Amino acid sequence: MESTDAVINLIHLADAPGTSGHSVSVRVLGRFQPGILTGHDFLDCEIVIVAESVNATFPVTLLPEDLEDWEGALAALRSGRSAMWLESGRTPSMKFKPDEGGGLWVSVYDGPASGVTVTVPLFALSSAWVDEQRDLLTRVRGVYPREVVETSPGAYEWRRDTRS
């Protein structure tokens, strides 16, 4: 098994340089419990928000199905619809709302801990921002591949390496 000490972005949405300086990121810090069967595929992450008067960080642990849900949210965003992500109630949730002018409003609601909601407008995103987020998701999956399988309810084992 490989691990990495490098922090990588799962999400990075930022206004173009020279504009507002607003950004919202989800940074993957590493595996939550590397080498421990039941926690190995969970990712230790943080949601980071930067705006004029707000710098906020919210810790979050992502499950493999959260990455699948993010892929679904990106499909909704590609079609111009709003999307919610991390709605389980165990972590802060995120809402992404495109506006008519091509911008995006991102809200983070930290219901489980502080009860705080932070909303950041992003008006100067790259025209390919959805594709850029898909590329980040692909990179995270490459660096942190799923290595544990559930063989029956509550029973786990290491995925067998099928490489020769």
Side-chain angles (χ1 to χ4, degrees):
M1 284 175 281
E2 291 182 24
S3 66
T4 180
D5 292 330
V7 173
I8 61 172
N9 285 323
L10 170 62
I11 299 172
H12 183 70
L13 298 164
D15 277 335
T19 60
S20 73
H22 294 178
S23 69
V24 177
S25 299
V26 175
R27 299 170 7 139
V28 179
L29 307 174
R31 291 194 186 271
F32 178 65
Q33 295 177 317
I36 298 174
L37 191 62
T38 55
H40 182 79
D41 283 347
F42 298 176
L43 298 178
D44 186 25
C45 302
E46 62 186 7
I47 299 169
V48 179
I49 299 170
V50 176
E52 289 92 354
S53 59
V54 176
N55 288 312
T57 303
F58 302 94
V60 61
T61 300
L62 298 181
L63 309 179
E65 51 267 26
D66 294 329
L67 298 182
E68 294 167 18
D69 292 345
W70 177 232
E71 190 168 25
L74 285 170
L77 291 165
R78 173 174 285 299
S79 66
R81 297 186 324 254
S82 294
M84 291 285 298
W85 186 51
L86 301 175
E87 299 178 82
S88 69
R90 66 176 166 72
T91 67
S93 62
M94 298 183 76
K95 180 177 183 178
F96 303 86
K97 183 179 179 188
D99 70 18
E100 303 80 32
L104 181 69
W105 292 78
V106 181
S107 297
V108 175
Y109 172 58
D110 184 27
S114 67
V116 169
T117 300
V118 178
T119 301
V120 177
L122 300 166
F123 297 120
L125 291 170
S126 154
S127 61
W129 69 268
V130 173
D131 291 331
E132 292 165 359
Q133 302 317 300
R134 283 189 189 280
D135 291 345
L136 292 174
L137 174 59
T138 299
R139 181 168 181 238
V140 166
R141 285 178 166 159
V143 172
Y144 296 103
R146 195 162 185 176
E147 296 180 332
V148 175
V149 293
E150 187 172 14
T151 56
S152 62
Y156 302 90
E157 67 181 38
W158 294 106
R159 184 180 302 272
R160 290 194 174 101
D161 188 12
T162 58
R163 293 175 275 166
S164 300

